[in-house]
Amino acid sequence: MYTARRIRISVVFLFFVCQVDPFVLAAASENLLVNSGFETWRAGTPDGWNSLWTRDKGAGEMAIETEQLHQGTRSVRIEHKGDRDWGLNYQESIPVQPGDLFEYTGWIRREGAGEIILCVTAYDAKGTAIDWSLGGRMARQTGTWEQIQCSFVVSDGVAKIQPRLIGNGPATVWFDEVNMSKTGTIRDLQGKGVPVELTISNPLLKVRLDTSKAVLVVTDKRCDRSWTQYPVHKEIVIIEAASRGNRIAFTALHAPTGQQYSVSLELETDTPEFTLSISSQDNDQFDSLRFPHPFTSSPGDYLVVPMNEGIRYPVDDPTIHPMTLIAYGGHGICMSFWGVADGDAGHMVILETPDDAAIHIGRSDGNLYVAPLWHPQKGTFGYTRRLRYVFFDKGGHVAMCKRYRQYAQQIGRFKALQEKHKENPHVDLLIGAVNVWCWERDPLAIVREMREAGIERILWSRRGSPQDIEQMNTMEGVLTSRYDIYQDLMDPQVVEKYLRGAHSDWTQEGWPKDLMRDERGDWHKGWQVKGRDGNMYPCGVLCDRQALAYAARRVPAELKTHPYRCRFIDTTTASPWRECYDPDHPMTRSDSRHWKMELLRYMSETCKLVTGSETGHDAAVPYVHYFEGMMSLGPYRVPDAGRDMSRILDEVPDRVLKFQVGHQYRLPLWELVYHDCVVAQWYWGDYNNKLPAIWKKRDLFNILYATPPMFMFKRDFWNENKKRFAQSYQDICPVVREVGYSEMTDHRFLTPDCNVQQTRFSNGTCITVNFGDGPYRLSDAVILPSGRFNIARSN
């Protein structure tokens, strides 16, 4: 017999996190830990436990505590003064079997800002640690005793576990009354009378649910390929299941917590698609959920990931490490889908509810996979989460992008540049213009020299005086712009004591009333600024709900004296949608997205400005005209790209060479969906001339994708490289101008090694680029040399 006990816990197993009410066996075994109350000590260390370990030597100490007690006569007191991590480990490891259920609890009292986590380390049979913080549950309270409780399921490959308490940063911690017990096995929770499998089908797909493993097997009847899900964990158990018509419905139990989910799979009548919806049967505390399981892949397949412009990861590439990418911000996936393809056949998954979702890229049997990860909405599972699976017998990543383009049009995320141009004629100045960042004191002289060199269409992004702006506005092909931001504000006391002044774009009036706050009431920390004393000081983050009011006060007043035609809004589409717990301006992530978009809408529609934002996300497609950073793959930019922007680098970092300009990895996913909606540019610390050694290769990507270049320079670099800048512009911008309003209809690898690639556009333009070291015969009459391009046009 077993019953549910109502205890808040946190579960973390490898890639899985949950904070909910557990489902544990009442007949739990005895405490597996000796000296669980820390009553006996020897040589300054509690019996059964190791000495305190600290990353920084001498940063912490452990002692007997006789005053701050939860129970008994003694507890552990740990004082840590360092900024890095520390740990207190139980001496013995506990043998386990896959499928075992455990509960680990302890009482903790904390003073200070450091993080404290109760967890275990998981080891394989050889004694190698495979998870350092399994079951990790963080202490939330300060100044009072708090029971921390965590449960977990032992997964395949784990042979033993070691209980521990770990921390990071300065804090004083008291630790007392720990308990580790086995509560049962996953087999104890299996439903009785559940069908072994359920199958539904339409003329194109057959979908089978294996209830014993909670996995799907999908067969594409057109190409006879089957896709099978891999159970990356054992925490989901199906306890009820039935099918009717084109629908399978089942109840999934999260074994460690007792949380139950209603899952519905509906197969479309005559298309190779089905949707899968997940809803929670209660409103208990929740951390995250990884379900459904990912489909396995085979050597020769590649992942299709819309990380910024897009990337392909060969599934058997051992250099790709596990990663998690949020769906609710520019530094994750910028469109709400992912896919797997063999170059022709494949499948994609559309996140129809992306605001509290992420994807995890992991590995099984040596091959990469992608799994969805659901995050909480204000601490609960909240609304129904929904995925759409689409299968292809041909077309690969191009077919996926075209299906997502159709989806974007259906949900109102699509607005073409032609339409935006009709609303604001200055949009045409953006098409085919190079984005220029230059901080020289005489911008007019620089612009005139650029035009004399043949660089005629210019997005001048650096702010200027009213006179400079007015004169530039009279120059044909020049679009005047400035930087702006509605995220950062600094503590006025920090400004007064440690800084040289407040940035003119900080919303200082909002401190502290308009700060974004977390569930503990602490303000979110953002961009850091170096003080006069050499220390770094974090800005606070302005609540997105409050940003629009600041913009309404700032922008119209400035436009009366500074007649800019464009504005770049930093961070808005780069930083994630955030939750705010301030009672005066609370937000869910969905609210955060809404208010971010309202800020951008205000700029483009109310202020009639050509509008750009950082990195990019397709939630903003209807409201912006360009993204700085969409061309740059976030994880593979040069180090410190956001701070050390203007320094020219001679040595190309390995990750930049392999991935950022790696033609075997990059895909123009954004262009295949949104080329005719939003202009994509490089990031301002990752521009064309940042690394002269790969300047030419960046230019080739701009040509292939028909996206404009970005230049950043100081006067001396400009003087030395005028001809090179002009060549870059002449190679790229005329074709960008030619196809700027056109859809990218196709992208192909013309050679197996990906060295020669081709794109096509709806106006009949065909662009071929040779990234390889040798010539390529494009036709009987055309030989394409290494590092060159060909542009063909058809009526």
Side-chain angles (χ1 to χ4, degrees):
M1 293 290 293
Y2 54 84
T3 58
R5 292 171 53 196
R6 308 291 289 182
I7 307 170
R8 288 182 60 188
I9 68 160
S10 175
V11 179
V12 178
F13 188 73
L14 300 180
F15 314 120
F16 193 169
V17 184
C18 264
Q19 180 183 329
V20 288
D21 289 338
F23 190 86
V24 293
L25 305 183
S29 60
E30 74 282 1
N31 190 354
L32 300 175
L33 307 182
V34 300
N35 192 25
S36 61
F38 303 107
E39 295 296 315
T40 60
W41 289 64
R42 186 176 305 172
T45 302
D47 288 345
W49 294 78
N50 292 327
S51 300
L52 180 70
W53 170 87
T54 60
R55 177 76 63 182
D56 298 321
K57 186 177 180 180
E61 59 183 25
M62 176 173 62
I64 300 172
E65 174 64 48
T66 58
E67 295 184 3
Q68 288 289 353
L69 307 170
H70 181 262
Q71 189 172 321
T73 61
R74 292 179 175 182
S75 67
V76 173
R77 183 181 75 251
I78 297 170
E79 295 188 22
H80 187 258
K81 297 180 181 179
D83 292 327
R84 298 201 289 175
D85 53 325
W86 57 267
L88 174 62
N89 294 342
Y90 191 68
Q91 284 183 348
E92 301 295 328
S93 57
I94 300 170
V96 296
Q97 296 290 329
D100 286 348
L101 297 169
F102 281 87
E103 183 179 74
Y104 178 34
T105 67
W107 286 89
I108 294 172
R109 180 187 176 101
R110 177 187 63 155
E111 298 285 355
E115 294 181 346
I116 314 299
I117 300 173
L118 188 72
C119 61
V120 303
T121 301
Y123 297 93
D124 64 15
K126 295 181 179 180
T128 302
I130 56 178
D131 191 336
W132 289 102
S133 57
L134 168 59
R137 174 74 164 94
M138 185 181 296
R140 298 292 185 185
Q141 300 181 27
T142 302
T144 186
W145 284 100
E146 174 186 13
Q147 188 179 32
I148 306 300
Q149 301 169 304
C150 54
S151 293
F152 53 90
V153 177
V154 176
S155 190
D156 292 338
V158 178
K160 55 186 179 180
I161 57 176
Q162 184 180 33
R164 63 198 307 230
L165 181 72
I166 61 176
N168 190 71
T172 300
V173 184
W174 293 265
F175 189 33
D176 204 0
E177 298 303 316
V178 294
N179 185 291
M180 170 70 74
S181 60
K182 179 181 176 181
T183 60
T185 70
I186 200 77
R187 292 183 297 275
D188 299 323
L189 305 179
Q190 299 284 348
K192 306 300 181 183
V194 176
V196 175
E197 63 179 44
L198 293 168
T199 302
I200 56 177
S201 65
N202 69 14
L204 305 175
L205 296 182
K206 181 174 73 172
V207 182
R208 176 167 61 89
L209 171 66
D210 180 341
T211 61
S212 66
K213 298 179 181 178
V215 299
L216 297 172
V217 180
V218 179
T219 301
D220 191 329
K221 299 178 182 179
R222 298 165 297 177
C223 58
D224 199 32
R225 175 163 180 175
S226 291
W227 300 85
T228 302
Q229 289 182 337
Y230 172 75
V232 293
H233 54 75
K234 294 179 178 293
E235 297 173 340
I236 295 295
V237 180
I238 293 179
I239 58 176
E240 296 176 335
S243 64
R244 183 177 181 180
N246 68 335
R247 181 173 180 266
I248 295 175
F250 59 94
T251 301
L253 172 72
H254 180 236
T257 66
Q259 182 80 45
Q260 294 187 19
Y261 299 94
S262 297
V263 184
S264 176
L265 187 157
E266 295 193 27
L267 180 63
E268 300 291 349
T269 303
D270 55 4
T271 60
E273 303 185 12
F274 63 83
T275 58
L276 191 144
S277 302
I278 309 171
S279 58
S280 176
Q281 295 186 1
D282 57 44
N283 201 37
D284 291 342
Q285 194 72 19
F286 166 80
D287 268 357
S288 66
L289 173 69
R290 178 162 282 107
F291 188 76
H293 293 296
F295 283 103
T296 58
S297 54
S298 302
D301 293 342
Y302 59 90
L303 304 185
V304 178
V305 182
M307 171 198 293
N308 307 118
E309 180 66 58
I311 196 165
R312 66 192 292 267
Y313 288 132
V315 299
D316 53 353
D317 187 335
T319 68
I320 310 302
H321 301 295
M323 67 184 81
T324 297
L325 301 170
I326 61 170
Y328 48 85
H331 290 294
I333 53 173
C334 297
M335 297 180 284
S336 304
F337 76 90
W338 75 87
V340 182
D342 62 9
D344 213 12
H347 74 274
M348 71 180 296
V349 185
I350 299 174
L351 286 165
E352 294 194 354
T353 51
D355 284 351
D356 299 285
I359 65 171
H360 180 79
I361 298 175
R363 195 178 294 276
S364 68
D365 296 329
N367 294 326
L368 297 170
Y369 65 76
V370 184
L373 175 62
W374 304 109
H375 289 163
Q377 183 188 59
K378 285 293 185 81
T380 70
F381 191 78
Y383 55 92
T384 297
R385 313 301 177 94
R386 182 179 167 100
L387 301 155
R388 177 173 294 274
Y389 290 80
V390 186
F391 292 81
F392 303 90
D393 62 337
K394 59 184 178 180
H397 64 274
V398 175
M400 294 177 192
C401 288
K402 295 310 171 185
R403 177 62 183 91
Y404 188 77
R405 179 180 169 97
Q406 180 187 35
Y407 172 75
Q409 292 169 331
Q410 291 171 343
I411 66 171
R413 251 181 205 188
F414 189 92
K415 188 174 183 179
L417 283 165
Q418 285 281 16
E419 183 179 352
K420 296 173 182 178
H421 176 217
K422 292 178 182 177
E423 297 172 352
N424 181 356
H426 292 149
V427 169
D428 192 58
L429 293 172
L430 178 69
I431 309 304
V434 55
N435 190 345
V436 177
W437 285 95
C438 177
W439 282 266
E440 294 297 328
R441 294 186 176 182
D442 189 359
L444 284 174
I446 295 289
V447 172
R448 290 188 182 109
E449 288 180 31
M450 293 183 73
R451 290 170 58 81
E452 289 171 0
I455 303 173
E456 298 176 343
R457 303 187 67 82
I458 300 168
L459 166 58
W460 185 262
S461 290
R462 171 65 172 158
R463 73 176 72 194
S465 67
Q467 296 77 16
D468 288 344
I469 300 166
E470 289 174 358
Q471 289 195 49
M472 287 190 200
N473 285 344
T474 66
M475 298 179 183
E476 184 178 356
V478 177
L479 178 61
T480 51
S481 184
R482 63 153 288 188
Y483 171 99
D484 201 358
I485 187 170
Y486 295 90
Q487 174 173 286
D488 296 337
L489 61 166
M490 181 65 78
D491 184 342
Q493 294 185 5
V494 171
V495 174
E496 181 179 356
K497 292 180 180 179
Y498 303 112
L499 304 186
R500 294 176 176 82
H503 192 286
S504 60
D505 292 328
W506 288 348
T507 53
Q508 287 299 94
E509 313 96 289
W511 191 283
K513 61 184 177 66
D514 292 331
L515 286 167
M516 188 98 67
R517 296 188 181 274
D518 64 20
E519 63 272 23
R520 294 181 295 181
D522 297 333
W523 52 273
H524 281 283
K525 295 175 176 57
W527 184 254
Q528 292 189 332
V529 178
K530 191 173 184 178
R532 297 191 303 269
D533 57 359
N535 293 322
M536 301 298 290
Y537 295 92
C539 288
V541 175
L542 181 71
C543 181
D544 296 314
R545 183 184 288 270
Q546 307 300 90
L548 185 58
Y550 289 95
R553 291 197 293 270
R554 177 185 298 173
V555 178
E558 184 187 48
L559 290 177
K560 291 179 181 179
T561 57
H562 295 67
Y564 296 107
R565 293 171 172 173
C566 179
R567 207 171 189 95
F568 172 70
I569 310 301
D570 197 15
T571 77
T572 297
T573 52
S575 62
W577 321 157
R578 292 184 173 97
E579 294 179 336
C580 183
Y581 288 79
D582 190 301
D584 291 334
H585 41 84
M587 293 192 308
T588 63
R589 289 191 186 94
S590 297
D591 295 330
S592 174
R593 171 181 53 78
H594 168 78
W595 288 108
K596 283 172 177 279
M597 298 311 109
E598 286 302 300
L599 174 65
L600 297 174
R601 183 206 297 268
Y602 176 78
M603 297 294 173
S604 61
E605 296 183 6
T606 302
C607 297
K608 300 297 183 183
L609 293 167
V610 177
T611 302
S613 193
E614 182 191 358
T615 302
H617 191 284
D618 76 338
V621 166
Y623 315 114
V624 301
H625 305 96
Y626 69 100
F627 285 130
E628 280 195 17
M630 183 58 74
M631 282 287 291
S632 297
L633 309 178
Y636 308 121
R637 297 172 182 171
V638 297
D640 211 14
R643 292 184 183 275
D644 195 10
M645 300 98 64
S646 60
R647 185 161 65 98
I648 304 300
L649 301 177
D650 295 323
E651 186 174 345
V652 182
D654 290 342
R655 69 185 185 193
V656 175
L657 191 62
K658 181 172 183 175
F659 295 109
Q660 191 68 272
V661 293
H663 56 272
Q664 298 91 347
Y665 290 96
R666 291 189 64 115
L667 290 175
L669 304 181
W670 180 265
E671 308 311 320
L672 285 163
V673 179
Y674 291 121
H675 181 269
D676 53 339
C677 294
V678 179
V679 175
Q681 301 171 353
W682 298 101
Y683 182 64
W684 76 340
D686 189 54
Y687 41 89
N688 290 65
N689 59 291
K690 176 74 175 182
L691 293 142
I694 57 171
W695 188 344
K696 182 178 180 181
K697 194 163 188 182
R698 286 189 192 271
D699 287 359
L700 290 177
F701 278 113
N702 283 127
I703 294 164
L704 182 67
Y705 295 178
T707 58
M710 177 185 286
F711 300 156
M712 183 180 291
F713 53 78
K714 296 179 181 178
R715 163 62 76 174
D716 56 350
F717 193 82
W718 163 252
N719 289 340
E720 295 169 5
N721 294 275
K722 286 182 181 181
K723 291 183 179 180
R724 181 65 187 89
F725 280 115
Q727 185 63 56
S728 183
Y729 174 88
Q730 293 297 339
D731 285 346
I732 301 169
C733 289
V735 71
V736 176
R737 178 67 179 166
E738 181 178 337
V739 303
Y741 292 106
S742 299
E743 175 188 354
M744 180 187 284
T745 56
D746 194 20
H747 168 256
R748 298 180 183 181
F749 298 106
L750 300 187
T751 57
D753 56 11
C754 306
N755 284 347
V756 183
Q757 301 183 28
Q758 188 176 84
T759 54
R760 292 180 180 272
F761 295 83
S762 58
N763 71 342
T765 300
C766 177
I767 303 170
T768 308
V769 167
N770 184 359
F771 293 105
D773 295 328
Y776 175 78
R777 182 176 292 277
L778 192 57
S779 67
D780 290 341
V782 180
I783 301 296
L784 188 59
S786 170
R788 294 303 297 160
F789 59 93
N790 176 271
I791 301 174
R793 300 164 179 86
S794 62
N795 295 329

